[in-house]
Amino acid sequence: KNVTIEAAGPVIGRGTGITSVSQSGDSIHVVTSQEVIGETGNGITIGGLNSATDVLVEASGDVVGHRTGLSVVGGELRIVTKGSVTGTTQTGIKAESFTTAEVDIAGQVSGGNGTAIDMNTVLEEAVLVLRDGWGLSGQAVASVYDTDDVLMLWAPGLGT
């Protein structure tokens, strides 16, 4: 079955803030409107363990993980953040895709290990969209595979 998680209020997890795993190839959609905190684990962990699992994460509030802020695995991935994303000891955003991944940020992304955004294991196209208000504390890493990677800088008034 397709999974949708909508968190209208703040989420604070002793381990991970929000976790969802699918092995069947169904889609996972996570929407947050306020902060998500993983006190000892990740802020948000999504595991689509099948190449047919499409994942969409829309985080409007801040996301903080003691390890990684946002860790997403799946088929086609789309990660949209409007607040800050922090991985205190590891990566800010880690995207692993059997196909394509798009990370679209409009806030600060920080990784305690020196990597803000890791799209190193995206098997096809990795797209990083930087919107008005973005910032990186650490590097952004794209795929080591023979893929086409895209960096898009977005300015107000250019559309969505």
Side-chain angles (χ1 to χ4, degrees):
K1 301 283 181 194
N2 295 328
V3 175
T4 300
I5 298 170
E6 294 184 36
V11 176
I12 300 173
R14 191 168 293 227
T16 296
I18 296 174
T19 301
S20 180
V21 177
S22 172
Q23 296 182 11
S24 64
D26 295 319
S27 68
I28 301 171
H29 183 190
V30 176
V31 180
T32 67
S33 59
Q34 294 187 32
E35 71 180 352
V36 177
I37 298 172
E39 291 181 339
T40 61
N42 297 336
I44 297 174
T45 300
I46 306 299
L49 306 178
N50 183 306
S51 63
T53 302
D54 294 335
V55 179
L56 172 59
V57 177
E58 299 174 285
S60 294
D62 295 343
V63 178
V64 178
H66 174 71
R67 292 188 210 144
T68 295
L70 239 163
S71 177
V72 182
V73 178
E76 185 176 315
L77 307 181
R78 184 152 192 263
I79 301 166
V80 179
T81 66
K82 294 182 180 170
S84 66
V85 179
T86 303
T88 304
T89 61
Q90 295 178 14
T91 303
I93 297 173
K94 182 164 181 66
E96 300 179 67
S97 173
F98 297 101
T99 60
T100 62
E102 178 181 320
V103 176
D104 184 327
I105 65 168
Q108 179 75 25
V109 180
S110 305
N113 66 355
T115 301
I117 299 173
D118 182 350
M119 293 192 286
N120 202 28
T121 51
V122 174
L123 297 183
E124 292 180 15
E125 184 178 66
V127 177
L128 175 57
V129 179
L130 306 172
R131 295 192 182 270
D132 195 35
W134 72 274
L136 298 178
S137 179
Q139 63 184 341
V141 181
S143 181
V144 296
Y145 300 98
D146 186 19
T147 64
D148 294 322
D149 301 314
V150 179
L151 170 65
M152 295 171 36
L153 299 175
W154 214 261
L158 291 180
T160 56

